[in-house]
Amino acid sequence: AQSVAQPEDQVNVAEGNPLTVKCTYSVSGNPYLFWYVQYPNRGLQFLLKYITGDNLVKGSYGFEAEFNKSQTSFHLKKPSALVSDSALYFCAVRGYNDMRFGAGTRLTVKP
Amino acid sequence: DTGVSQDPRHKITKRGQNVTFRCDPISEHNRLYWYRQTLGQGPEFLTYFQNEAQLEKSRLLSDRFSAERPKGSFSTLEIQRTEQGDSAMYLCASTSTQTQYFGPGTRLLVL
C-alpha cells in the first residue's frame, strides 16, 4: 500500500536560513508525490508535485523538493525561510483512488 | 482561494443530531473527494466520486455517513446521529488530473 512518513513533528529555523522538511515514501510502482501547506483553520494549499522527469521539482512560494529514488525520499526545501512560511506541511502520495497523507510537520520560522 | 468552496465553515451540534455539509468543486473537475482531519493528523480519505458515481468508500465511513453528488457537480456529506468522535475538520477536494485542490473545510464540533 502507498504511504508516506514525516519523521519530524516540528522544525524550527531562523528567518533567512535554509529549511528542509523531510518525507519518505513507500509505494509499489512509480510514486506520485505531493507537498501541501496548511495555515490555521484553512484547507490545504498545493505546493508542488513529482510525477515523472526531473528529480528537482520547483513549486509555489519559492519551495522546491528533491525526489530521491534510492533513499525513497521527497524532502521539501527552501533556500531562505520567511516568517510567513510558518505553517503545517503535509507530504502525500497518490493511492489507487485517494491521497495518503503524512501526519504533518509544523514549521516555525523565527525572526 | 483554490476555487473549491465548502459550507458551512463551522458547525456546532449536539450529540445525536444530524448534520449536512456541502462542497462545490472547481466546475470542470470530474472527481471529488471527501477527507476527515483530526487535530495533529493528516487528512484521511472518506469517499470519492467520479462525476455522480460514488466509486469508493473508506472503512472510516460508517453507516451513519452518507455522501451524494446528484448531478456530478456539488456534493453533500451527511452525518446522522452525530457522536463526539465525529468532531473533526471535513475537507473536500476536486481534480481532473493528479493534483487535488482542497476547499477551506468545515469544522464540526459535537457537544
Side-chain angles (χ1 to χ4, degrees), chain A residues 32 34 36 38 41-46 49 51 88 90 94 96-104, chain B residues 2 9 31 33 35 37 40-43 45 48 56 89 91 97-104 107:
Chain A
Y32 290 3
F34 301 80
Y36 286 84
Q38 187 175 35
N41 297 312
R42 302 287 295 276
L44 278 69
Q45 294 180 28
F46 168 72
K49 67 182 176 186
I51 303 295
L88 195 52
F90 291 98
R94 180 93 167 87
Y96 182 65
N97 272 329
D98 63 349
M99 194 87 82
R100 308 283 174 87
F101 288 86
Chain B
T2 62
R9 294 290 306 276
R31 281 178 274 158
Y33 301 77
Y35 291 85
Q37 185 181 19
Q41 299 296 319
F45 170 76
Y48 150 62
E56 187 165 340
M89 174 83 92
L91 294 165
T97 61
Q98 298 299 334
T99 303
Q100 294 185 15
Y101 294 91
F102 284 80
R107 185 170 292 284

Side-chain angles (χ1 to χ4, degrees), chain A residues 37-93:
Chain A
V37 60
Q38 187 175 35
Y39 296 98
N41 297 312
R42 302 287 295 276
L44 278 69
Q45 294 180 28
F46 168 72
L47 281 178
L48 51 79
K49 67 182 176 186
Y50 173 83
I51 303 295
T52 186
D54 249 348
N55 289 344
L56 186 64
V57 179
K58 293 190 183 297
S60 307
Y61 313 119
F63 284 93
E64 57 190 28
E66 186 169 8
F67 172 70
N68 188 317
K69 189 172 183 178
S70 62
Q71 296 185 3
T72 62
S73 67
F74 188 56
H75 300 332
L76 181 70
K77 300 182 180 185
K78 188 173 182 181
S80 178
L82 300 173
V83 172
S84 58
D85 292 330
S86 298
L88 195 52
Y89 290 81
F90 291 98
C91 179
V93 63

